[in-house]
Every structure is written in C-alpha cells, then in structure tokens.
Amino acid sequence: MTSPNPPPVASAVGPVLAVRNLVKRFGKVAAVDDVSFSVAGGTFLTLLGPSGSGKTTVLRLLGGFETPDAGSIALGGADIGRLPPYKRDIGVVFQRYALFPHMNVAENVGFSLRQRGVATGERARRITEALEMVGLEGLGGRAPSQLSGGQQQRVALARALVFKPRILVMDEPLAALDKHLRERLQDEIRALQRRLGITTVYVTHDQAEAFVMSDIVAVMNAGKIEQIAAPRALYEAPRTEFVARFVGDSNIFRGPVNESRMRLADGVLIAFAGNGAPPTALMVRPEKIRIGKAGHQNAGDNLLQGWLIDMRFLGDACLYRVRAGAQEIVVRDLNRTDSAHFAAGDEVILTWPAADTVPLS
C-alpha cells in the first residue's frame, strides 16, 4: 500500500521534490501505481525493491524519460511532469553510465552545459571543477574506453553534477562493479552528496546499499510504496510481511490473536507489544532471539522448545536453524566468548521479549 504519510521528510519551507499519485501503465500493467512521496532539501532518498517493483520507472518519470499517465511531479513547487529532460533541473546518472564513446571525458562531462548554451570559457571552468570534485582531475582528454569501471562511474556522476542541478537521480549506478569497489564508491557518493547538500533520489535492489547511503528509504513492491521510513525504522518496525522479508532476515508466525498474544498451530502462545488492530502475522528478527540449552532458565516473554536442525559458522556469528513444533526458526547468535556451542540434534530453548515481536498488517 502507498504510505499514509507520503511526506516523511518535510522541511519548514516545504519539500524540494513532491510526487503525488503518480501512475504509469505499460499496456494493462501498472508499473507505477498511485505513488506519493516528498523529499526535503539535502535528503538522500532511496527507492528500494526487487526487479519489476517500479522503482526505475519512477526514476525515469522524474528524469523526464517517461510521461506519467496520472499524478504530478513538482520541483520547488513547480509541476515538471510534462517537461522534456533538458528543461528539468535534474541530473541523472544511468545504470550503464551512457557515456558517449566518440567524446573524451571532458566533452562527456560538458555535454549538458553545451546543450544549455553555456559559454566556452565558463564551460571549461565548470568541467575542470566537476572532474576535481569526483577525483578525475587531469583525465579530461581520455576516452571512456581508457577508464576503469569506477572511473567511468565518476565521469557519469560529474556529468550529472556539472550544471549544478537541484536534484540528483541515480539508477543503480554501482550494480556492475565488484564488491570492494562498490563499497568504496558508496562511501564516496554519500560523502560528496553531504558536502554538496544536493537532494538525491537513488534506486537500488540492494538492501545493504540502501541502508548505508540513505536518510530515508521507500520500499517498493508491484508498483506501490509499501513503506517509507528511515533505515532503522524500516528494519526494526516493518509494517507489512513483504517489507519484513525483503529488508533483512525474519521469522514469521501466524495464528489467531487474542489481545496481545498469538496462538500457533501447536498451541504455543507468542506475546507481542501493541494495542492496534489485530495483526495478520508476527515477525521477529533472528538476532533478537536467544538460544540456550534445554532445561536452563532464560529470561524472556516468549519461550519455545525445539531441536537444532543445522548450524552454520559465519565468523562473527553462528546461524542456527531450529525446529520448534511445526515452525522452523532461524537464530543468529553473535560469536561471544561466553556463547554456548550447539550441534545438530541438540535440544534447545529459544527466548525473546515481547517488545521484539513486531505485528504485521
């Protein structure tokens, strides 16, 4: 469902970017289905979701590469939903960088300035400034083919920033890079965004990337925004089962609810905090559950008995799979000096407080 509070990051003077009831259909398929959100100045917002969730289509609508079927896109209060890309004050970094192979680095970076009629001398100054900004000073004469993947990504970023747009939008720009380079560039992009104070909308399917880089994350599914919140709030308090499963690992429980307890199929009661509408399911994160030897008393509002199916040593933690009645539960236990060690077949108990049991709608 679309967030009931679309502007979670409003500023005193109103949002820089306001998207309202945006719809885009391709044939009978609603790629974007009544999407609303707002972004305050200087905020880094990430659209997070699986392939086909609509996040890239939203970005293309923002950049002017698709025309909305309904709804509005306002930048600084002015509706830009029908303007061509070059008339929007938005810099775009594409997934494949889209560098012109017949132009050198400086010409690629200065392309948008030439389109806007910026004089030659001023254009040269801004190109030099943009290349220095992304750490590519002195490489203006090279061809894109002479650059590494990380350097090409920086050229694309410099091209998007050179005309000093009000908004920067980025479509999975790090997807093609190896893990170590991707992590380094995540830090560089975030540091640059903070230094410039530029409002940014970023698209990714990678939860870790979204959490590391973002002030606010909007989780998309089937063309809609399921939930929009700060990364910690999304992780600790997902509202729907989709968000709970997509953002991190989760254990899901189902059964009839009476006040603040859910009865599982084997009769075990699961306690949760909350006084709202009865949830359709409950969720607890693997790291919130404590595992102990059967017969030992552990503190916790919830207690389940079971048998260990499997253990995986991860270095910093152990990942356990436990069968408790009809439920298979995953537990992540940090590798502490005082940690107990278990093997497949061991009888164990699992405990956790009601406050760590999250109601889902």
Side-chain angles (χ1 to χ4, degrees):
M1 63 180 180
T2 303
S3 169
N5 301 301
V9 284
S11 66
V13 295
V16 170
L17 177 67
V19 172
R20 290 291 178 267
N21 308 113
L22 203 60
V23 176
K24 180 62 183 179
R25 295 182 178 277
F26 297 103
K28 295 182 179 180
V29 177
V32 176
D33 190 4
D34 194 27
V35 164
S36 297
F37 61 89
S38 299
V39 191
T43 298
F44 196 118
L45 168 74
T46 292
L47 302 177
L48 173 68
S51 297
S53 61
K55 57 190 187 298
T56 293
T57 304
V58 171
L59 183 142
R60 290 181 62 81
L61 289 164
L62 294 179
F65 305 105
E66 300 286 352
T67 303
D69 295 319
S72 64
I73 303 169
L75 183 58
D79 193 335
I80 63 168
R82 297 296 188 276
L83 293 179
Y86 65 91
K87 288 191 176 181
R88 303 186 183 205
D89 199 4
I90 295 178
V92 181
V93 179
F94 299 98
Q95 185 177 19
R96 301 290 181 185
Y97 314 146
L99 302 179
F100 301 115
H102 63 286
M103 295 182 183
N104 64 25
V105 167
E107 290 166 340
N108 267 281
V109 172
F111 180 76
S112 61
L113 298 178
R114 192 170 63 183
Q115 276 192 315
R116 287 166 170 79
V118 176
T120 303
E122 176 64 10
R123 190 161 71 233
R125 186 189 67 78
R126 288 205 199 177
I127 291 169
T128 299
E129 182 182 77
L131 290 175
E132 289 176 351
M133 188 188 305
V134 298
L136 293 179
E137 56 270 26
L139 299 184
R142 291 194 185 182
S145 60
Q146 295 176 301
L147 303 180
S148 68
Q151 289 172 324
Q152 290 183 37
Q153 192 274 343
R154 289 185 176 93
V155 174
L157 183 57
R159 183 178 60 185
L161 293 171
V162 71
F163 65 95
K164 301 180 180 178
R166 294 190 68 179
I167 300 282
L168 176 66
V169 297
M170 309 180 76
D171 183 16
E172 301 204 60
L174 309 181
L177 304 177
D178 67 72
K179 179 179 183 293
H180 295 295
L181 180 56
R182 187 167 65 247
E183 290 175 352
R184 192 175 84 221
L185 289 176
Q186 286 171 8
D187 293 338
E188 290 182 10
I189 290 171
R190 184 55 166 142
L192 180 62
Q193 185 268 338
R194 284 175 170 165
R195 189 169 79 246
L196 298 177
I198 187 170
T199 307
T200 300
V201 180
Y202 192 94
V203 165
T204 186
H205 64 274
D206 187 318
Q207 171 219 313
E209 185 167 279
F211 278 18
V212 164
M213 301 180 74
S214 311
D215 299 309
I216 301 292
V217 177
V219 179
M220 294 196 66
N221 178 36
K224 295 180 178 289
I225 291 180
E226 291 256 340
Q227 189 173 347
I228 183 167
R232 182 178 291 276
L234 273 180
Y235 185 82
E236 299 287 358
R239 285 205 301 261
T240 69
E241 185 172 338
F242 176 84
V243 176
R245 290 187 182 277
F246 191 76
V247 178
D249 296 321
S250 58
N251 296 289
I252 305 294
F253 301 95
R254 289 188 177 81
V257 173
N258 182 15
E259 296 183 346
S260 60
R261 292 182 181 273
M262 175 179 283
R263 184 178 294 276
L264 303 184
D266 55 7
V268 172
L269 295 175
I270 302 293
F272 63 94
N275 52 10
T280 60
L282 300 176
M283 183 276 291
V284 61
R285 298 292 187 192
E287 71 275 9
K288 304 292 186 181
I289 302 174
R290 298 298 302 271
I291 184 169
K293 294 180 179 179
H296 287 220
Q297 186 62 41
N298 282 11
D301 302 308
N302 293 294
L303 187 150
L304 298 179
Q305 294 182 323
W307 287 264
L308 192 63
I309 301 171
D310 182 46
M311 186 278 284
R312 295 182 183 179
F313 180 68
L314 305 177
D316 62 335
C318 290
L319 198 67
Y320 297 106
R321 286 193 304 125
V322 176
R323 172 67 65 181
Q327 190 92 17
E328 186 175 302
I329 298 172
V330 178
V331 181
R332 183 182 176 91
D333 191 42
L334 286 179
N335 184 15
R336 299 179 299 268
T337 303
D338 61 346
S339 294
H341 298 284
F342 304 96
D346 284 353
E347 189 174 357
V348 296
I349 60 169
L350 308 178
T351 58
W352 70 93
D356 288 332
T357 312
V358 181
L360 304 174
S361 60

